[in-house]
């Protein structure tokens, strides 16, 4: 049974979700997302930049699961940041997804001072559009993705609503503690993309040893660790078996000692993607 977490506006979000980035590279994207829904995922995370909103929408329709039972997230692409362009991008996402509302809409990446002299205004204007969508009831919750404390502090200067969610890279060996602390202090739910890191994480001797002791896979240890930190992990897989395995994390708990061991891992398996390095 997948538990829910209450966001700062009172709306609940499942504590684990399915990430759809690149789901249609090697397989039919519609079928892959249908497999995820059948496996039990009810939080689906997509984005305009993934170029698969149409497939995700078709999968929801063909799954036979009621729309109200799916927590659907999308994100505004970087070229569409800004007030009017964000509103247009949102309408386009709804059309592609074939829905009349979203459960969560995010700013995919912040405009950063490394590339934009007016980065604060770009982010503020984009956020103002999200606040309008929230007030109009077209989205149930709004948030950001990949925002660091400096971006969050700047946004808070003009925001009427603080983000309900900040989606960041989060996995053993890459906790981003400063971001995590900012979000906890301000009651912002953290979602974790790439919660299994890269191959180096799955082969890490510490995690392999812990997984062996619990009779679980390293992936299950990574996901359970995230959940126990109150982070919503968004694993992605095109294998129905792995989809189910990634949900099988609610019959055990990591000890406080093991949580500390994983927390203390050196940087491992990070993507290298940061707001100041993004050029798309």
């Amino acid at each position: 049974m997948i538990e829910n977490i209450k966001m700062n506006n009172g709306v609940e979000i499942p504590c684990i979700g399915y990430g759809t980035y690149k789901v249609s590279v090697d397989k039919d994207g519609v079928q892959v997302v249908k497999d995820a829904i059948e496996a039990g995922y009810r939080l689906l995370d997509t984005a305009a930049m993934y170029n698969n909103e149409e497939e995700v929408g078709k999968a929801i329709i063909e799954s036979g699961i009621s729309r109200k039972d799916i927590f659907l997230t999308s994100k505004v692409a970087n070229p569409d940041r800004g007030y009017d362009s964000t509103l247009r991008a949102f309408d386009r996402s709804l059309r592609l997804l074939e829905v009349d509302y979203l459960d969560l809409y995010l700013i995919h990446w912040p405009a950063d001072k490394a590339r934009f002299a007016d980065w604060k205004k770009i982010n503020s204007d984009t956020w103002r559009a999200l606040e309008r969508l929230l007030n109009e009831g077209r989205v149930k919750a709004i948030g950001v993705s990949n925002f660091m404390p400096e971006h969050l502090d700047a946004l808070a200067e003009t925001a009427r609503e603080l983000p309900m969610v900040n989606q960041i890279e989060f996995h053993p060996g890459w906790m981003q503690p400063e971001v995590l602390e900012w979000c906890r202090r301000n009651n912002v739910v953290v979602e974790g993309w790439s919660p299994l890191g890269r191959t180096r994480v799955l082969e890490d001797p510490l995690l392999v040893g812990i997984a062996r002791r619990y009779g679980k896979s390293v992936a299950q240890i990574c996901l359970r660790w995230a959940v126990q930190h109150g982070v919503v992990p968004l694993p992605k897989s095109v294998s129905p078996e792995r989809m189910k395995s990634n949900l099988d994390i609610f019959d055990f708990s990591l000890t406080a000692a093991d949580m500390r061991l994983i927390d203390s891992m050196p940087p491992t398996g990070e993507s290298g993607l940061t707001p100041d390095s993004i050029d798309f």
Side-chain angles (χ1 to χ4, degrees):
M1 181 177 179
I2 298 176
E3 302 169 352
N4 290 338
I5 296 173
K6 187 172 289 188
M7 294 180 283
N8 60 30
N9 67 338
V11 173
E12 294 188 347
I13 181 173
C15 71
I16 186 170
Y18 181 71
T20 67
Y21 179 55
K22 291 187 176 179
V23 297
S24 57
V25 171
D26 299 314
K27 289 192 176 184
D28 172 28
V30 175
Q31 186 58 53
V32 169
V33 178
K34 284 169 62 178
D35 289 343
I37 295 171
E38 184 176 349
Y41 292 91
R42 292 298 178 264
L43 164 53
L44 302 178
D45 181 85
T46 184
M49 289 171 63
Y50 298 171
N51 293 314
N52 64 9
E53 288 174 311
E54 187 172 5
E55 293 166 293
V56 171
K58 280 184 168 49
I60 294 172
I61 293 169
E62 293 181 12
S63 74
I65 299 295
S66 172
R67 169 69 185 91
K68 67 179 178 59
D69 294 326
I70 299 290
F71 190 100
L72 182 58
T73 302
S74 193
K75 312 177 190 74
V76 59
N78 294 357
D80 293 320
R81 287 180 301 217
Y83 184 78
D84 291 329
S85 52
T86 292
L87 295 176
R88 289 192 296 269
F90 180 83
D91 287 338
R92 185 165 60 250
S93 288
L94 289 193
R95 287 196 302 271
L96 289 170
L97 288 161
E98 297 186 67
V99 296
D100 56 10
Y101 73 96
L102 288 180
D103 296 278
L104 178 63
Y105 197 46
L106 306 177
I107 303 174
H108 203 149
W109 286 90
D112 187 77
K113 62 186 177 184
R115 295 189 65 234
F116 299 94
D118 58 345
W119 64 278
K120 289 186 179 182
K121 184 177 187 305
I122 295 171
N123 292 334
S124 176
D125 288 348
T126 307
W127 185 249
R128 189 161 49 88
L130 266 62
E131 289 178 325
R132 173 177 170 175
L133 294 168
L134 180 69
N135 291 335
E136 292 177 349
R138 304 186 69 200
V139 62
K140 293 187 176 181
I142 54 176
V144 296
S145 182
N146 303 299
F147 272 54
M148 301 297 104
E150 63 192 76
H151 307 112
L152 293 163
D153 284 336
L155 195 68
E157 292 173 4
T158 57
R160 296 195 304 271
E161 303 271 358
L162 277 181
M164 286 112 218
V165 165
N166 186 14
Q167 185 180 125
I168 61 172
E169 181 176 2
F170 183 89
H171 54 77
W174 199 249
M175 285 187 68
Q176 304 204 68
E178 296 84 5
V179 188
L180 193 63
E181 174 56 30
W182 195 102
C183 291
R184 284 176 173 164
R185 191 170 64 248
N186 290 280
N187 196 24
V188 176
V189 172
V190 172
E191 289 185 318
W193 60 265
S194 193
L196 307 181
R198 303 300 185 271
T199 304
R200 282 169 51 207
V201 172
L202 297 179
E203 295 176 351
D204 184 85
L206 172 66
L207 295 175
V208 170
I210 292 174
R212 188 178 297 118
R213 284 195 280 107
Y214 284 88
K216 291 289 184 177
S217 69
V218 173
Q220 289 169 327
I221 296 298
C222 291
L223 296 171
R224 182 68 206 184
W225 171 81
V227 167
Q228 285 185 218
H229 270 300
V231 172
V232 177
L234 302 170
K236 58 176 177 145
S237 173
V238 297
S239 162
E241 292 74 23
R242 288 200 187 95
M243 290 175 184
K244 293 174 185 175
S245 176
N246 287 341
L247 285 178
D248 186 21
I249 60 170
F250 297 99
D251 60 348
F252 77 105
S253 294
L254 294 167
T255 65
D258 284 335
M259 289 289 290
R260 288 194 296 271
L261 279 174
I262 299 172
D263 290 353
S264 68
M265 284 176 57
T268 307
E270 65 274 18
S271 70
L273 295 174
T274 59
D276 62 358
S277 71
I278 294 299
D279 58 1
F280 53 83

